[in-house]
């Protein structure tokens, strides 16, 4: 079983819709959770991080964390074609230093 | 301020050769981590260095080694290159060595192709 799992997609949504990206993780010692966006041929860029159960909002992005279910999600409201990218979920485990464990990413396509 | 800089941006090597990749962290950042990203997959942790000491090592063979210099820049070395080493190598910079609460800043990466 992979430590961090994501549906590879592609997830296709129309412009203006809400895109919902999901991620599950296996290690209950996971303490910090990150969402990165990666455009084709580019390096990952940090969108959001979340530590506590519940929702965290930043502009059009909302991260949701449920530690009991070992589940973290990213909602993108009012999706734009420029949001088309691969979204990587990453988990930091307690006592594992600075290491992040990444999922395989979900490819999002926003159609005009 | 300059971000994380990596060099070279692209590299083509032959099987069996050796390669050295370089990274300069954001000014003031003392931790550098290296990740390998094979096409279609998420990044995989290779090494972390903090204050010139190795703080973590991923599940990579001994052909992979790294070091951090007094100015906090870092080198990743890979010996006896295999075709499977072809990947995007990412350097990540963070202020602290343990538990970077704000996540990493990645460099633009070095695209290594082994032929």
């Amino acid at each position: 079983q992979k430590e961090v799992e994501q549906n590879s997609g592609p997830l296709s949504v129309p412009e203006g819709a809400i895109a919902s990206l999901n991620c599950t993780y296996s290690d209950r010692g996971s303490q910090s959770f990150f969402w990165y966006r990666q455009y084709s041929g580019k390096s990952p860029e940090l969108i959001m991080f979340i530590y506590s159960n519940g929702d965290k909002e930043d502009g059009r992005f909302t991260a949701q964390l449920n530690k009991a279910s070992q589940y973290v999600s990213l909602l993108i409201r009012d999706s734009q074609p420029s949001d088309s990218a691969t979204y990587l979920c990453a988990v930091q485990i307690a006592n594992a230093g600075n290491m992040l464990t990444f999922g395989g990413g979900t490819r999002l396509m926003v159609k005009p | 301020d300059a971000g994380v800089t990596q060099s070279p941006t692209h590299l083509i090597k032959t099987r069996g050769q050796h390669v050295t990749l370089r990274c300069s962290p954001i000014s003031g950042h003392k931790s550098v981590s290296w990740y390998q990203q094979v096409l279609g997959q998420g990044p995989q942790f290779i090494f972390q260095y903090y204050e010139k000491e190795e703080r973590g090592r991923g599940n990579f063979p001994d052909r992979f080694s790294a070091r951090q210099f007094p100015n906090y820049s870092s080198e990743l070395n890979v010996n006896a290159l295999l075709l499977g080493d072809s990947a995007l190598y990412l350097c990540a910079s963070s202020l602290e060595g343990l538990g970077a609460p704000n996540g990493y800043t990645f460099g633009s990466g070095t695209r290594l192709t082994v032929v």
Side-chain angles (χ1 to χ4, degrees):
Chain A
Q1 181 189 7
K2 289 185 179 179
E3 294 181 40
V4 180
E5 295 211 44
Q6 298 180 255
N7 188 318
S8 61
L11 172 66
S12 183
V13 300
E15 183 175 357
I18 296 175
S20 178
L21 304 162
N22 304 315
C23 172
T24 58
Y25 59 94
S26 60
D27 194 318
R28 288 196 172 272
S30 302
Q31 61 180 14
S32 306
F33 306 86
F34 303 85
W35 283 99
Y36 283 84
R37 177 176 61 199
Q38 186 173 29
Y39 292 111
S40 181
K42 302 296 185 182
S43 62
E45 55 179 323
L46 182 66
I47 300 175
M48 292 190 69
F49 55 88
I50 186 169
Y51 312 123
S52 304
N53 278 328
D55 295 0
K56 179 181 179 182
E57 187 175 316
D58 184 0
R60 295 187 297 114
F61 299 96
T62 298
Q64 299 175 316
L65 175 61
N66 184 326
K67 289 188 176 181
S69 300
Q70 296 176 247
Y71 176 95
V72 59
S73 65
L74 179 70
L75 301 178
I76 306 175
R77 289 181 300 280
D78 188 24
S79 295
Q80 301 297 309
S82 59
D83 294 326
S84 298
T86 295
Y87 289 79
L88 296 162
C89 172
V91 170
Q92 185 177 47
I93 300 170
N95 302 320
N98 226 12
M99 183 185 81
L100 294 184
T101 301
F102 284 83
T106 298
R107 184 176 162 218
L108 174 66
M109 297 173 58
V110 180
K111 297 188 174 180
Chain B
D1 281 343
V4 180
T5 57
Q6 291 188 245
S7 62
T9 55
H10 294 84
L11 202 52
I12 299 176
K13 290 286 190 178
T14 304
R15 277 179 297 174
Q17 285 189 314
H18 163 271
V19 68
T20 298
L21 310 181
R22 295 177 175 84
C23 172
S24 293
I26 292 172
S27 178
H29 283 196
K30 299 180 179 180
S31 178
V32 168
S33 299
W34 288 94
Y35 284 77
Q36 180 197 64
Q37 187 175 25
V38 173
L39 193 62
Q41 298 180 19
Q44 273 199 292
F45 175 74
I46 310 176
F47 286 110
Q48 186 216 349
Y49 277 78
Y50 176 66
E51 288 283 14
K52 302 174 284 295
E53 292 188 2
E54 183 183 300
R55 289 297 183 94
R57 175 186 285 254
N59 189 24
F60 279 81
D62 291 343
R63 298 185 296 108
F64 289 77
S65 63
R67 55 179 175 168
Q68 187 177 34
F69 299 99
N71 67 353
Y72 303 110
S73 67
S74 178
E75 283 183 353
L76 175 69
N77 295 284
V78 186
N79 292 324
L81 286 166
L82 303 174
L83 295 179
D85 295 331
S86 296
L88 179 67
Y89 287 84
L90 296 162
C91 174
S93 166
S94 58
L95 188 59
E96 298 179 0
L98 296 176
N102 297 328
Y104 291 147
T105 300
F106 281 100
S108 56
T110 295
R111 173 75 60 188
L112 172 65
T113 302
V114 182
V115 298

